[in-house]
């Protein structure tokens, strides 16, 4: 809140032709939200009830699905209200909370993908040591760090700017993403440096770790039997596909927020919608269709529903 101006809300200025297409936006977003919630919930449900899916890889997939549900729940309901309202506004505190949740979850996704890469490396390259290394304690630690570290880092980042004043109250977007930093009167050097540290620790290092790990896996399996090569491809390629999409969309978000490039409003709207659409919706379909064990239980579930 800015004490001098007594302004407590931020105007959202990222929609295009809202008066003409407001109801169409609403119907599409509701359909996407319902599909995201159902598809991810089904994946989590299958992994919870089937004992043979209580393996590290599937537990991490379930964690990604939980993140997708949380991210969608933080973003979509506000979008529903905005597209049907004459005035699109959000309180400063709610905007900060949405930013905190979005980037905590995004950082958590990168760390979970890193944990999955490590799990695949141990499983394929060191199979005899796998039961010793990937114990339940290890899984719990990896899950805790994946959720706690990004949340703590983003919380510290918001604490650093808590007393900074806003000079602009119009957000050039539809979500409180990195564009939020453009609203502050000034960005202290310490904040910029800390933001870079956060990016290195939860984005850049995990991405390089994943790429390095999968490169090692493919090099090792290249000299192995076709059965091992097939196993590596079935489990690693979906992860790499998810990583490539997620990294590309996050890179766009950083470019828009930090480099302050002036993208056309329509392009920003389309890209922002892809950020909140692709990963939460594609994850369950990629893992549900490409992961053999999940796909098998998914077919049984649908068969049971159709037959009953």
């Amino acid at each position: 809140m800015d004490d001098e101006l007594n302004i407590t809300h931020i105007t959202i200025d990222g929609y295009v032709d809202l008066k003409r297409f407001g109801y169409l936006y609403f119907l599409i977003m509701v359909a996407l939200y319902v599909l995201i919630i159902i598809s991810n919930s089904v994946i989590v449900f299958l992994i919870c009830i089937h004992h043979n899916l209580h393996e590290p890889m599937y537990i991490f997939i379930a964690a990604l699905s939980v993140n997708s549900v949380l991210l969608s729940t933080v973003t979509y309901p506000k979008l529903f209200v905005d597209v049907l309202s004459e005035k699109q506004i959000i309180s400063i505190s709610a905007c900060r909370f949405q930013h905190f949740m979005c980037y905590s979850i995004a950082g958590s996704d990168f760390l979970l993908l890193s944990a999955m890469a490590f799990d695949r490396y141990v499983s394929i390259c060191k199979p005899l040591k796998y039961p010793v290394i990937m114990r339940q304690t290890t899984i719990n630690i990896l899950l805790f760090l994946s959720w706690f570290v990004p949340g703590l880092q983003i919380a510290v980042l918001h604490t650093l700017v808590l007393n900074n004043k806003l000079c602009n109250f119009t957000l050039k977007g539809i979500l409180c993403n990195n564009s939020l930093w453009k609203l502050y009167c000034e960005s202290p050097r310490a904040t910029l440096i800390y933001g870079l540290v956060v990016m290195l620790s939860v984005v850049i290092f995990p991405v390089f770790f994943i790429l390095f790990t999968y490169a090692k896996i493919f090099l090792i399996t290249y000299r192995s039997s076709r059965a091992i090569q097939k196993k590596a491809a079935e489990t690693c390629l979906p992860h790499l596909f998810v990583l490539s999409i997620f990294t590309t969309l996050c890179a766009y978000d950083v470019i828009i927020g930090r480099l302050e490039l002036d993208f056309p409003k329509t392009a920003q709207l389309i890209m922002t919608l892809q950020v909140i659409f692709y990963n939460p919706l594609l994850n369950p379909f990629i893992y549900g269709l490409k992961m053999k064990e999940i796909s098998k239980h998914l077919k049984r579930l649908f068969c049971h529903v159709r037959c009953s």
Side-chain angles (χ1 to χ4, degrees):
M1 175 176 173
D2 188 283
D3 295 327
E4 294 179 4
L5 298 175
N6 199 30
I7 297 177
T8 59
H9 290 81
I10 295 170
T11 300
I12 297 172
D13 184 32
Y15 289 99
V16 179
D17 290 329
L18 199 55
K19 291 183 179 180
R20 291 174 57 194
F21 302 114
Y23 286 103
L24 179 61
Y25 286 152
F26 177 78
L27 292 174
I28 292 173
M29 288 177 183
V30 168
L32 289 175
Y33 180 63
V34 171
L35 191 56
I36 287 169
I37 297 300
I38 292 176
S39 58
N40 283 283
S41 297
V42 167
I43 295 297
V44 174
F45 172 74
L46 289 175
I47 293 171
C48 287
I49 66 170
H50 293 290
H51 186 71
N52 69 323
L53 297 182
H54 293 177
E55 296 180 8
M57 176 177 62
Y58 300 115
I59 293 173
F60 294 136
I61 290 174
L64 284 173
S65 289
V66 170
N67 279 2
S68 294
V69 172
L70 289 174
L71 176 64
S72 300
T73 303
V74 169
T75 55
Y76 277 90
K78 182 65 175 76
L79 299 180
F80 301 158
V81 174
D82 285 340
V83 297
L84 295 180
S85 302
E86 291 187 7
K87 195 174 183 181
Q88 291 74 46
I89 60 174
I90 184 171
S91 69
I92 295 173
S93 58
C95 189
R96 286 170 174 159
F97 176 74
Q98 189 181 71
H99 180 280
F100 166 77
M101 289 298 296
C102 287
Y103 288 96
S104 296
I105 293 169
S108 173
D109 280 354
F110 277 111
L111 294 182
L112 285 171
L113 288 170
S114 299
M116 292 169 72
F118 176 70
D119 172 71
R120 290 301 83 206
Y121 173 77
V122 177
S123 174
I124 295 171
C125 303
K126 300 180 183 293
L128 297 179
K129 295 182 179 180
Y130 185 80
V132 177
I133 297 174
M134 295 305 294
R135 294 174 297 174
Q136 188 61 48
T137 303
T138 306
I139 298 169
N140 292 339
I141 291 172
L142 291 174
L143 286 174
F144 174 77
L145 292 176
S146 296
W147 278 317
F148 177 75
V149 170
L152 177 62
Q153 291 181 327
I154 302 300
V156 171
L157 185 61
H158 277 275
T159 303
L160 291 174
V161 299
L162 192 60
N163 296 321
N164 290 13
K165 292 185 178 181
L166 302 181
C167 287
N168 186 3
F169 295 89
T170 301
L171 186 74
K172 300 296 182 181
I174 61 173
L175 293 174
C176 293
N177 54 13
N178 268 325
S179 299
L180 174 64
W181 305 125
K182 296 180 183 180
L183 305 184
Y184 285 95
C185 300
E186 59 179 353
S187 296
R189 187 180 182 85
T191 304
L192 295 175
I193 294 173
Y194 181 75
L196 180 60
V197 171
V198 172
M199 188 183 300
L200 285 170
S201 60
V202 298
V203 179
I204 297 176
F205 287 161
V207 168
F208 277 108
F209 173 78
I210 294 167
L211 295 177
F212 173 78
T213 303
Y214 284 138
K216 290 274 289 183
I217 290 172
F218 287 127
L219 282 173
I220 292 172
T221 55
Y222 179 74
R223 308 187 193 97
S224 305
S225 65
R226 292 188 63 85
I228 295 177
Q229 291 176 5
K230 184 179 179 182
K231 178 185 177 183
E234 285 178 350
T235 58
C236 296
L237 290 180
H239 301 166
L240 287 174
F241 184 66
V242 169
L243 176 68
S244 62
I245 293 176
F246 190 48
T247 304
T248 301
L249 294 174
C250 288
Y252 155 79
D253 186 76
V254 171
I255 290 171
I256 287 294
R258 289 297 184 181
L259 300 185
E260 300 187 359
L261 298 179
D262 189 18
F263 273 50
K265 185 184 284 190
T266 303
Q268 287 197 43
L269 176 63
I270 292 171
M271 288 301 296
T272 304
L273 289 174
Q274 290 186 68
V275 170
I276 61 173
F277 158 66
Y278 268 129
N279 225 50
L281 187 57
L282 285 182
N283 276 359
F285 284 95
I286 291 171
Y287 293 125
L289 297 176
K290 292 297 183 181
M291 304 300 285
K292 193 173 181 181
E293 288 300 317
I294 296 179
S295 178
K296 182 172 67 177
H297 289 298
L298 201 56
K299 290 175 182 177
R300 288 178 181 172
L301 177 65
F302 284 140
C303 181
H304 178 74
V305 171
R306 288 175 61 184
C307 296
S308 55

